[in-house]
Amino acid sequence: LFSSLSGKSSGHSADASLRMRVLDEFDHAGIGWIWATDGQGKLIYLADRAIERLGLEADSLIGQPIEDIFEIDENNQSDGSSRPLKFQIKAKNKIRDQVVRFKLGKAAGDIRQTWWSLSGHPVRDEKGEFIGYRGNASDVTIEYERKLVDSKLAEFDSLTGLANRHQMDRKIESTLAGFKA
């Protein structure tokens, strides 16, 4: 099977057929979705199930710059996501398990958000020219929202809603550090 998927078998058309079947099965299983951009960072492909999950039509996503579709949560960068998605795309950096918010047509303050884990790698042609990203994504909305709630509970008193001692200590330390300069 591996040699068939990697294209090292003798029947090339059978390999393409098997690849398509495996990708379709991957998509239908709900494990994740495949996505791709062109050299300008515009979305050229997103699996049908992913588009359905967002409740949109393909026409509203395909052709949009990926940084207009997704963004990193600026309020919660504890997972090491200090660079904006736009910067990562422009720098043609590899993207690894980046939690992003679906932002197209949604305000950051909306009650119900959609969060995905995005991974992708830059692809170059035989001349070394960048031709876009190829990657996978999965819906992590439930897990990410749970993490946000847990984080809030760890920093605020559940009865009063006020910052707890640990949160206040961090706030005071950062304020004092600003005045030391």
Side-chain angles (χ1 to χ4, degrees):
L1 178 66
F2 177 74
S3 63
S4 295
L5 289 174
S6 62
K8 295 181 180 166
S9 163
S10 58
H12 185 64
S13 63
D15 292 342
S17 173
L18 179 59
R19 279 191 206 108
M20 288 303 298
R21 192 178 87 226
V22 169
L23 287 174
D24 284 343
E25 289 168 356
F26 179 80
D27 182 36
H28 290 292
I31 298 168
W33 309 295
I34 306 297
W35 60 274
T37 69
D38 63 11
Q40 288 76 45
K42 293 181 180 177
L43 194 66
I44 58 171
Y45 177 80
L46 182 60
D48 291 339
R49 302 270 292 198
I51 294 170
E52 287 172 20
R53 183 72 146 249
L54 292 170
L56 297 171
E57 297 293 322
D59 295 344
S60 64
L61 295 171
I62 303 301
Q64 296 284 335
I66 196 158
E67 68 264 12
D68 288 351
I69 300 171
F70 298 106
E71 72 180 350
I72 293 170
D73 184 5
E74 295 175 7
N75 298 320
N76 187 28
Q77 296 184 356
S78 60
D79 60 352
S81 54
S82 59
R83 299 268 189 203
L85 186 61
K86 185 174 189 170
F87 174 86
Q88 293 181 51
I89 298 290
K90 296 255 186 262
K92 300 173 182 76
N93 290 339
K94 190 174 240 186
I95 302 166
R96 290 190 184 105
D97 298 319
Q98 186 71 70
V99 176
V100 294
R101 179 181 79 86
F102 176 73
K103 72 175 190 173
L104 193 65
K106 291 192 117 190
D110 287 353
I111 300 287
R112 184 72 176 130
Q113 297 291 337
T114 301
W115 299 95
W116 283 9
S117 176
L118 210 59
S119 294
H121 69 277
V123 177
R124 300 187 181 279
D125 64 13
E126 56 280 345
K127 296 177 187 175
E129 298 290 322
F130 175 72
I131 59 171
Y133 274 92
R134 306 299 180 260
N136 68 307
S138 60
D139 191 331
V140 294
T141 301
I142 293 170
E143 297 88 353
Y144 192 71
E145 287 178 348
R146 187 173 297 134
K147 178 183 168 191
L148 292 176
V149 168
D150 290 347
S151 175
K152 184 173 167 96
L153 289 174
E155 296 179 358
F156 294 91
D157 180 76
S158 59
L159 181 62
T160 65
L162 298 173
N164 66 17
R165 185 185 72 216
H166 301 292
Q167 174 73 352
M168 290 301 291
D169 285 345
R170 281 194 294 280
K171 231 10 158 182
I172 290 169
E173 286 175 17
S174 67
T175 302
L176 291 175
F179 284 107
K180 283 183 183 178

